[in-house]
Amino acid sequence: MYTQKYKIAYLVFIALIFLAVWSCSKDENNNYVDIPNVYVNFYLQPDGIDFLPPNSWKIYEYEGYRGVLIYRIDQFTFNAYEMTCPYDAAKECARVQVDASGILLIDSCCMSTYNILDGMPAGGPSTLALKQYLTEYNGIQLHVFNNP
C-alpha cells in the first residue's frame, strides 16, 4: 500500500518536471526581432573635445544600427546603448529617445521605457534590456566597441 502511494507521487513529480521544462522552452512572443549586429568601434574624449560631464548623455547618430547613446555615470563609468528598441526592431520607428527628465529612454513606437542607468525595461511591452556595447576608459579616451 505504501509503495503504491510513492509510485503515484513519483509519477506526478516527473510529470510536473516535464511540463515545467516543456513550457519554458517555447517562446510564444514573435514580436521580438533581433537587432542586426553591426560593427561598432569608435573613440571619444569625454573630458576634452567630446565633453561629457558625469550624469549626462550624448547621442552618436551614425554609429551602431540606429545610433548609440553614451551615458556617463561618474568620472570613470560609461554605458553605451544601441538606440534601437528590442521589442520590434524591424520597425523603422523602433528607436529610443531620452525623455525630458533625462532618466528614462522612451520608444514612442511601442511605448516601452528604459532606465538610462542600466538599459533595463521600466515600462511598456518590452521585457528585453537595450543592447549594450562595451566601453573601456583609460582616463583620456573612451573606446566604444562590440565583438562582431
Side-chain angles (χ1 to χ4, degrees):
M1 182 91 164
Y2 236 4
T3 46
Q4 186 68 14
K5 288 182 184 178
Y6 285 121
K7 285 182 182 178
I8 292 173
Y10 180 72
L11 288 174
V12 168
F13 178 73
I14 295 295
L16 289 174
I17 297 261
F18 176 75
L19 286 173
V21 170
W22 181 68
S23 67
C24 290
S25 66
K26 290 186 352 184
D27 182 15
E28 296 292 332
N29 190 348
N30 294 326
N31 289 332
Y32 288 88
V33 176
D34 289 336
I35 298 169
N37 192 22
V38 297
Y39 183 66
V40 173
N41 186 29
F42 64 99
Y43 291 87
L44 310 172
Q45 292 181 350
D47 292 323
I49 195 164
D50 303 303
F51 185 63
L52 189 60
N55 295 318
S56 65
W57 51 270
K58 196 174 226 181
I59 294 172
Y60 292 86
E61 298 278 340
Y62 302 107
E63 299 292 344
Y65 180 59
R66 289 197 179 118
V68 175
L69 182 133
I70 309 292
Y71 179 71
R72 187 173 193 170
I73 297 172
D74 58 35
Q75 185 178 359
F76 299 105
T77 311
F78 297 83
N79 285 337
Y81 306 112
E82 171 61 47
M83 294 186 65
T84 304
C85 178
Y87 180 72
D88 199 352
K91 289 185 178 177
E92 190 68 32
C93 62
R95 189 170 189 268
V96 296
Q97 296 292 329
V98 181
D99 77 340
S101 72
I103 298 171
L104 293 175
L105 303 170
I106 300 173
D107 174 17
S108 59
C109 189
C110 72
M111 300 311 293
S112 292
T113 58
Y114 301 89
N115 186 326
I116 199 167
L117 292 173
D118 58 8
M120 295 302 292
S126 184
T127 57
L128 297 175
L130 291 174
K131 183 175 182 177
Q132 196 163 356
Y133 296 111
L134 302 170
T135 60
E136 288 180 349
Y137 183 58
N138 66 9
I140 298 170
Q141 283 189 326
L142 174 66
H143 184 199
V144 180
F145 61 101
N146 66 350
N147 296 326

